[in-house]
Amino acid sequence: MTRLLLIGPPGAGKGTQAERLSEAFAVPAVSTGDIFRYNVKNDTELGLQVKAFMDAGAYVPDSLTNAIVSDRLQQEDAVDGFLLDGYPRTQDQVHELDRLLEADNGALDAVVLIVADTEEVVARLLKRAAEQGRADDTADVIRHRLAVYEEQTAPLIDIYSSRGLVVTVDGLGAVDEVTGRILDALAERGLSVPVASGDAASAS
């Protein structure tokens, strides 16, 4: 059973690495963003609540986010492990995740922190914005998003660092190289993947 948390700034390649780690460890990648979009698209009860906040330009409150994640982690495919991407984002969410895991007599195995040079991330996101026609994603907007990330995430990193869970990996370079760094760092903590899975993740 493997339980991982992936943290990293916008543009650090977190989504791509989440997919690769999910495949390597044969656990579902649980992204709050994906869950929100799924529930909104399918007009579920939770989705309607999320949409109301999003339409108002407000943050989805911790209580609703916690309920959505709790529901997802209780689904059958997450029983034997998971990889969290985008949750927790606040200290209250950290405490709620602790409660959920303790109720199942479990705990996180590691927190993978992907770091990247700010200027490189800005350049990467500007390129993505141009390719996807996102005129609103200016350098100033991107820098603000990165500043908010740093402000919100620093306390979480401190919490998990104090528990000895944080594995820091350089997110710059080829995708394969970053995946390899993460797998090597996790292996040093005793979290090795089956040979076939590891080779597939590195070679894909």
Side-chain angles (χ1 to χ4, degrees):
M1 183 177 292
T2 303
R3 299 186 178 100
L4 301 173
L5 166 59
L6 191 60
I7 296 178
K14 188 159 48 72
T16 299
Q17 296 304 328
E19 291 179 6
R20 288 179 163 227
L21 293 176
S22 169
E23 180 180 350
F25 285 96
V27 295
V30 178
S31 162
T32 48
D34 289 346
I35 295 174
F36 287 164
R37 285 186 287 273
Y38 172 84
N39 280 276
V40 169
K41 179 180 179 180
N42 290 278
D43 292 324
T44 67
E45 181 178 346
L46 288 174
L48 293 175
Q49 295 180 58
V50 169
K51 189 174 186 300
F53 286 103
M54 294 174 66
D55 288 348
Y59 286 110
V60 178
D62 283 353
S63 57
L64 181 54
T65 302
N66 290 336
I68 288 177
V69 173
S70 175
D71 175 73
R72 179 64 183 87
L73 295 186
Q74 291 177 45
Q75 293 177 22
E76 186 175 352
D77 66 333
V79 171
D80 291 331
F82 52 79
L83 184 150
L84 288 170
D85 173 12
Y87 178 95
R89 288 180 182 267
T90 68
Q91 294 185 62
D92 284 343
Q93 290 178 7
V94 169
H95 299 321
E96 177 61 16
L97 178 60
D98 286 344
R99 189 191 67 77
L100 290 173
L101 293 175
E102 287 169 3
D104 193 33
N105 294 317
L108 287 174
D109 294 300
V111 175
V112 179
L113 172 61
I114 298 180
V115 297
D117 176 74
T118 298
E119 297 308 315
E120 178 67 25
V121 168
V122 170
R124 187 181 293 183
L125 289 177
L126 284 174
K127 179 181 179 181
R128 181 191 301 176
E131 292 172 345
Q132 299 180 358
R134 297 182 182 180
D136 292 338
D137 273 3
T138 63
D140 287 343
V141 170
I142 291 171
R143 290 183 187 281
H144 175 69
R145 286 168 57 198
L146 291 171
V148 170
Y149 161 80
E150 291 293 345
E151 179 182 347
Q152 293 181 342
T153 308
L156 275 61
I157 295 173
D158 288 343
I159 290 173
Y160 288 122
S161 291
S162 70
R163 300 179 186 180
L165 290 173
V166 176
V167 173
T168 303
V169 177
D170 182 3
L172 297 183
V175 173
D176 289 345
E177 293 176 358
V178 178
T179 303
R181 290 176 201 149
I182 295 174
L183 293 177
D184 287 346
L186 290 175
E188 290 180 4
R189 294 182 61 90
L191 295 172
S192 297
V193 300
V195 175
S197 298
D199 286 348
S202 298
S204 60

